[in-house]
Amino acid sequence: MSSKRKGMEAEGKTWNYHDILAQFITMHNKKSNVLLIWSGDWPTYSSNSDKYYVILAGEGFDSTDEAWNWCKANNYGPNDCMTIDLQ
């Protein structure tokens, strides 16, 4: 749902740790199973040298099609909702 790192320019501002946490809290207040992870802790992201704080929907799906359908049904576009297998 979101991937940000300190100093990243996105959505009209330069992000800092407070902004990242505030975005997570806002999303978590709307949907309690939202998760915040550090991409460096997950092998799925290990090929990327840049590490990010990633906000996940906390939903599980059997296929990427099912995940994309969830994104669309919840009004998340391709820049805000990516299907990632964390296993």
Side-chain angles (χ1 to χ4, degrees):
M1 296 171 63
S2 177
S3 295
K4 303 283 188 313
R5 67 181 195 283
K6 182 181 179 192
M8 180 179 182
E9 292 184 20
E11 302 169 18
K13 66 180 179 180
T14 302
W15 288 75
N16 60 44
Y17 295 130
H18 177 80
D19 296 326
I20 295 165
L21 181 59
Q23 183 183 40
F24 166 70
I25 290 169
T26 298
M27 291 179 156
H28 188 268
N29 286 340
K30 292 178 183 177
K31 190 165 176 43
S32 64
N33 60 338
V34 168
L35 305 169
L36 179 65
I37 67 165
W38 175 244
S39 66
D41 291 338
W42 296 89
T44 301
Y45 295 99
S46 65
S47 63
N48 185 346
S49 61
D50 292 328
K51 304 301 179 206
Y52 295 85
Y53 289 95
V54 181
I55 299 174
L56 303 173
E59 301 287 336
F61 303 99
D62 293 327
S63 70
T64 55
D65 286 340
E66 191 176 314
W68 281 119
N69 289 336
W70 182 91
C71 292
K72 291 174 194 173
N74 286 277
N75 297 315
Y76 293 111
N79 290 333
D80 298 314
C81 199
M82 297 176 204
T83 59
I84 302 291
D85 185 353
L86 292 176
Q87 296 181 8

